[in-house]
Amino acid sequence: MASILLSSPSSKLYALQLNKAPIDSSFLQKQTHVPSGFLWPEADLVAAQQELNAPLIDLEGFFKGDDVATENAAKLIRVSCLSHGFFQVTNHGVDSSLVKLADDHLDQFFHLPVSEKLRIMRTPGSPWGYSGSHADRYSTKLPWKETLSFGFHKNGSETVVEDFFNSRLGDDFEETGKVYQKYCEAMKSLALSILELLAISLGVKRSHYRKFFEDSHSIMRWNYYPTCQEPSLSLGTGPHCDPTSLTILNQDQVGGLEVFVDNKWQTVRPIQGALVINIGDTFTALSNGLYKSCLHRASVNAVKDRRSLAFFLCPRDDKVVKPPEELVTQVGTRKYPDFTWSEFLKFTQSHYRVDESTLQHFCNFILSESKSVN
Ligand SMILES: C=C1C[C@]23C[C@H]1CC[C@H]2[C@]1(C)CCC[C@@](C)(C(=O)O)[C@H]1[C@@H]3C(=O)O
Ligand SMILES: O=C(O)CCC(=O)C(=O)O
Ligand SMILES: [Fe+2]
């Protein structure tokens, strides 16, 4: 067993739990064969057969207030969200130099010695912090990746992201905190604009979802996928639907994001400068089931490591998730019960491993809980 200097109680627990060297990119990259814990079922490993026809939506006209361009963008979003819920956007207003800085700081973190990364090890039940293949949570179907997640909410001049990095990693990461405070603010601003287009595409008041998410509490997630010598046996991120509301994914040019549409895995081609948008389970509930969040996964390869930055827009914890009345009338019934994001998040962190049917299991869970109380 590799002995490492474990500097914090949680990382001591982590290593003791594993009773072996902690799992991080340096561990994964050394493996000539996929360790058994990282093997995935054949059903999850069927290779992608084609490229997804996801619309590339130019947001320039929308941002300029051009009504025709706005209507066209909303139409493209509707077609995509009625089918698979994935689309890409360009001229999105997120400064390319900020995106480059964000990529560089992600790299700097994941190349730290594992003992440093373990200093901000994710604590059980919380989504925040570092994780090596989620080996502290699961023992099979381990994802071939390491991740770092932190929260973002913007009330006035609060600097929650800077505080996270300063408090947990110290002065060396002060600049990272500043970069990601700005990056998350830009992500939230873009997300609120996309929500306007989603509202238009659903025929509800344009500001409806923007108002609901004004005081959002979102999740910033860094994914680092090391090379894998047997890439057909493992996955970087297993098949799942995002439980969150809206995901803005900044993927590098390596490729690996795949969406399950028309009963086959289809690749989402990286487009330089574009951002990938997909809706999650919580938006499915907010649209009363009209827009489905889509099954997707991340494959790995033997040649090039891969990075992706996922901004997961989430409502404020205690806000009740329910669709606008006009969509209940349109569908004829409520498709999902009221719930809060904090209940759903807790379900994913403490009760249920996120997969393609998380929302259904969560609804069954809260309905059974309400029956046991009454
Ligand atoms: C609410 C969340 C749970 C996950 C992080 C956010 C949104 C996406 C979820 C996740 C990334 C989906 C794939 C599986 C997962 C376990 C992961 O690979 O990290 C999920 C996250 C989680 O449960 O921590
Ligand atoms: O890395 C990717 O391309 C996708 C990751 C993802 O789906 C997620 O983190 O939810
Ligand atoms: Fe996802």
Side-chain angles (χ1 to χ4, degrees):
M1 164 177 170
S3 61
I4 56 167
L5 177 62
L6 296 175
S7 53
S8 72
S10 60
S11 48
K12 287 185 179 63
L13 176 63
Y14 176 86
L16 287 174
Q17 272 173 338
L18 288 173
N19 191 27
K20 50 184 175 296
I23 293 164
D24 79 327
S25 45
S26 56
F27 169 87
L28 293 175
Q29 275 158 343
K30 286 182 195 136
Q31 306 308 310
T32 49
H33 297 289
V34 170
S36 59
F38 290 84
L39 293 172
W40 284 75
E42 272 188 36
D44 292 330
L45 294 166
V46 176
Q49 298 171 18
Q50 66 188 62
E51 185 176 300
L52 178 70
N53 178 23
L56 176 61
I57 300 170
D58 184 333
L59 297 179
E60 186 176 20
F62 162 72
F63 282 124
K64 282 181 178 169
D66 177 324
D67 291 341
V68 173
T70 299
E71 202 49 44
N72 288 339
K75 280 186 185 139
L76 285 170
I77 286 174
R78 181 171 180 83
V79 168
S80 148
C81 289
L82 288 172
S83 161
H84 47 69
F86 272 78
F87 53 95
Q88 300 206 51
V89 292
T90 58
N91 291 321
H92 40 63
V94 182
D95 186 300
S96 56
S97 56
L98 177 59
V99 173
K100 174 74 173 64
L101 269 176
D103 294 348
D104 295 347
H105 282 268
L106 174 150
D107 252 354
Q108 184 187 344
F109 173 79
F110 285 119
H111 284 95
L112 285 176
V114 64
S115 56
E116 282 298 289
K117 293 183 278 190
L118 286 174
R119 284 173 56 206
I120 56 169
M121 178 71 206
R122 175 188 173 280
T123 49
S126 158
W128 315 135
Y130 171 78
S131 171
S133 297
H134 296 318
D136 57 323
R137 297 166 71 182
Y138 313 128
S139 52
T140 61
K141 300 194 295 182
L142 294 176
W144 198 270
K145 69 177 175 183
E146 50 184 339
T147 64
L148 177 67
S149 307
F150 47 91
F152 171 76
H153 59 273
K154 178 79 180 162
N155 290 330
S157 60
E158 271 187 294
T159 56
V160 285
V161 175
E162 286 181 58
D163 301 345
F164 172 83
F165 280 96
N166 283 334
S167 61
R168 308 286 291 270
L169 279 170
D171 297 348
D172 289 355
F173 279 81
E174 185 178 0
E175 186 54 26
T176 302
K178 290 184 190 309
V179 166
Y180 270 88
Q181 184 72 31
K182 286 196 183 76
Y183 183 85
C184 290
E185 287 168 7
M187 287 294 111
K188 178 179 175 181
S189 173
L190 173 58
L192 294 181
S193 296
I194 300 280
L195 288 168
E196 279 189 37
L197 287 167
L198 282 165
I200 294 167
S201 79
L202 282 161
V204 303
K205 195 170 169 222
R206 175 167 177 154
S207 61
H208 176 80
Y209 295 118
R210 171 184 275 274
K211 283 183 181 161
F212 184 80
F213 284 96
E214 272 298 354
D215 52 359
S216 53
H217 279 209
S218 297
I219 300 170
M220 185 70 230
R221 158 64 66 89
W222 294 353
N223 292 310
Y224 180 72
Y225 302 101
T227 51
C228 175
Q229 294 317 306
E230 296 180 310
S232 63
L233 301 181
S234 192
L235 286 169
T237 296
H240 69 281
C241 300
D242 293 343
T244 42
S245 295
L246 191 73
T247 305
I248 302 179
L249 188 85
N250 164 18
Q251 62 168 333
D252 66 16
Q253 292 302 298
V254 173
L257 174 60
E258 298 171 359
V259 183
F260 193 72
V261 184
D262 297 336
N263 282 317
K264 49 184 176 291
W265 287 102
Q266 303 187 37
T267 60
V268 177
R269 178 167 56 89
I271 299 172
Q272 192 68 47
L275 293 170
V276 182
I277 314 287
N278 67 273
I279 62 166
D281 291 341
T282 301
F283 196 85
T284 294
L286 287 168
S287 69
N288 201 27
L290 286 168
Y291 285 177
K292 309 264 183 301
S293 73
C294 193
L295 187 59
H296 58 286
R297 70 185 184 185
S299 61
V300 287
N301 71 81
V303 176
K304 182 90 180 69
D305 56 354
R306 177 173 180 259
R307 301 144 181 81
S308 69
L309 299 81
F311 179 84
F312 296 109
L313 183 77
C314 310
R316 196 187 67 220
D317 287 2
D318 58 346
K319 260 198 171 152
V320 176
V321 173
K322 62 192 324 178
E325 266 317 302
E326 53 266 57
L327 297 187
V328 179
T329 309
Q330 183 181 323
V331 173
T333 178
R334 278 290 300 272
K335 301 295 276 186
Y336 301 94
D338 288 1
F339 61 88
T340 65
W341 169 242
S342 62
E343 291 167 331
F344 195 10
L345 179 60
K346 182 165 183 269
F347 182 71
T348 70
Q349 300 302 299
S350 305
H351 294 284
Y352 187 85
R353 179 171 183 172
V354 170
D355 58 16
E356 70 276 13
S357 49
T358 314
L359 180 59
Q360 201 47 60
H361 282 90
F362 172 61
C363 292
N364 298 341
F365 175 76
I366 54 178
L367 291 174
S368 63
E369 291 275 286
S370 61
K371 282 189 187 128
S372 61
V373 167
N374 296 333

